Amino acid sequence: MFGLKEDWSLEVPERYFTLENYAGGVARWCPSCGDHAVLSAVQKICRDEQLPPEKVVAVSGIGCSSRFPHYMHTYGFHGLHGRALPVACGVKSRRPDLHVWVATGDGDCCSIGAGHWVHALRYNMDITVMLFDNNVYGLTKKQTSPTTPQGLVTNTHPGGAWLPPLNVLQTTLGFTNISFVARTVDWNPLHLYQTLKRAYEHKGLSFVHILQRCPTYTEGIFEQFRNNPENVLLLTHENGVPADPAVAKMYKNQMEHDPADLNRARELADESGRLPIGLFYWNPNAPLYDEYLKVGMGMTQEEKKAGLEKELDRFAI
Ligand code: SF4
């Protein structure tokens, strides 16, 4: 009969998520901080992929960027300094249905968390890791971090940072069983979005090095790349970060780089003068620890429980 619900109902999904559905608390980062751009990119990916907020978790350590989980209206875990990666691996091992975004900084990941950096990448669990690199400890007000450029005056080195900075990508590309290593910049929202989306789609641990502006403590540190796009080298390949025409137009210096070529990726990571951005390395066949966890010892929950009871019974008095 005309007028019944089946006559007029539209084919709309039961739930449709807008950006507001992923917006948590008001972001308290400084104005113009690059962290805002990364947060927007992640929220857009969640919206575009229509990820139910209850199927997403943001995990972080300590630092400015580690406030990330507070600004996502999803599950979140703001952990201890340097411990974002083991927490993220733990979450993924128990809740493989959740998509895990990790926010960590150059101090959090490459200093106190360096051991976890090596091993989480070797475990290659299906999580997306974003390393926000602003070349300084911002939360503790301008202390030298592992990536601070030599000579930069900081509160811990008033005469200028003494040691050469750690090369994040060169180091990462030396780890065992890596599967996805990319770099992008916070000031190019299209490239940032597409790199993170490509990382999100990768099955395995995707590690994205993000050059992140900190106008408060390392103002102007990336200006040579921002003001002069000729200093940026855009990596292109059919398996790489999809080339958006606007991005390709902006960066005239481009290079076809097959992300399967690890040796070339290492050479590119060592470039001085120009900044390569895009997908450095991709190996979709690297073993995932998730697969091992699925099988474990091949025992059912009941068998595990019975085994545990038996062991405990040995100590019964
Ligand atoms: Fe961002 Fe730097 Fe401010 Fe921290 S101190 S919120 S990194 S601009």
Side-chain angles (χ1 to χ4, degrees), residues 23-96:
V26 176
R28 305 233 178 262
W29 291 308
C30 306
S32 303
C33 173
D35 293 356
H36 294 284
V38 184
L39 178 68
S40 301
V42 171
Q43 289 174 342
K44 276 188 196 144
I45 292 167
C46 292
R47 188 268 320 267
D48 294 349
E49 294 297 312
Q50 284 297 292
L51 291 175
E54 71 274 13
K55 290 291 179 192
V56 177
V57 58
V59 177
S60 67
I62 294 293
C64 289
S65 57
S66 289
R67 295 196 53 77
F68 195 92
H70 297 273
Y71 309 142
M72 292 285 289
H73 189 58
T74 60
Y75 288 121
F77 194 106
H78 187 174
L80 296 174
H81 203 196
R83 312 296 177 233
L85 289 168
V87 171
C89 291
V91 170
K92 191 70 186 176
S93 72
R94 296 299 94 195
R95 289 291 306 270

Side-chain angles (χ1 to χ4, degrees), residues 22-268:
Y22 305 100
V26 176
R28 305 233 178 262
W29 291 308
C30 306
S32 303
C33 173
D35 293 356
H36 294 284
V38 184
L39 178 68
S40 301
V42 171
Q43 289 174 342
K44 276 188 196 144
I45 292 167
C46 292
R47 188 268 320 267
D48 294 349
E49 294 297 312
Q50 284 297 292
L51 291 175
E54 71 274 13
K55 290 291 179 192
V56 177
V57 58
V59 177
S60 67
I62 294 293
C64 289
S65 57
S66 289
R67 295 196 53 77
F68 195 92
H70 297 273
Y71 309 142
M72 292 285 289
H73 189 58
T74 60
Y75 288 121
F77 194 106
H78 187 174
L80 296 174
H81 203 196
R83 312 296 177 233
L85 289 168
V87 171
C89 291
V91 170
K92 191 70 186 176
S93 72
R94 296 299 94 195
R95 289 291 306 270
D97 57 314
L98 299 185
H99 188 84
V100 184
W101 295 91
V102 178
T104 180
D106 42 301
D108 193 55
C109 178
C110 308
S111 185
I112 190 170
H116 301 304
W117 179 24
V118 178
H119 293 289
L121 269 77
R122 186 171 71 92
Y123 273 49
N124 190 32
M125 297 183 71
D126 190 18
I127 60 180
T128 309
V129 180
M130 303 175 289
L131 173 67
F132 296 61
D133 189 357
N134 60 358
N135 292 187
V136 78
Y137 284 93
L139 193 70
T140 44
K141 317 244 180 278
K142 205 178 184 182
Q143 295 171 312
T144 303
S145 89
T147 62
T148 301
Q150 213 166 12
L152 187 89
V153 173
T154 66
N155 289 339
T156 42
H157 290 94
W162 189 250
L163 297 171
L166 181 146
N167 183 325
V168 173
L169 286 193
Q170 202 186 43
T171 308
T172 307
L173 289 163
F175 296 162
T176 303
N177 203 39
I178 47 174
S179 66
F180 184 107
V181 180
R183 180 196 277 143
T184 185
V185 294
D186 78 49
W187 58 88
N188 191 318
L190 264 176
H191 193 266
L192 175 67
Y193 172 91
Q194 287 182 317
T195 307
L196 291 177
K197 178 112 182 302
R198 178 77 178 79
Y200 159 81
E201 287 161 357
H202 168 67
K203 180 121 178 81
L205 190 147
S206 36
F207 180 85
V208 183
H209 180 218
I210 305 171
L211 296 198
Q212 176 243 313
R213 286 164 301 161
C214 170
T216 304
Y217 295 122
T218 50
E219 188 186 7
I221 211 159
F222 301 129
E223 290 306 283
Q224 54 178 317
F225 307 120
R226 285 190 68 221
N227 294 343
N228 193 353
E230 299 215 337
N231 289 334
V232 174
L233 177 66
L234 183 68
L235 304 181
T236 60
H237 192 271
E238 57 180 346
N239 291 332
V241 173
D244 185 277
V247 175
K249 197 170 164 191
M250 179 170 203
Y251 297 121
K252 302 276 184 255
N253 285 330
Q254 299 179 12
M255 178 190 280
E256 172 108 340
H257 165 62
D258 181 355
D261 187 345
L262 181 57
N263 287 334
R264 186 73 190 110
R266 286 175 176 155
E267 284 168 11
L268 284 167

Side-chain angles (χ1 to χ4, degrees), residues 272-295:
S272 58
R274 339 186 258 185
L275 177 77
I277 59 169
L279 184 55
F280 281 64
Y281 183 64
W282 183 48
N283 176 9
N285 301 316
L288 288 100
Y289 202 66
D290 314 46
E291 300 299 329
Y292 171 76
L293 288 173
K294 263 190 222 160
V295 181

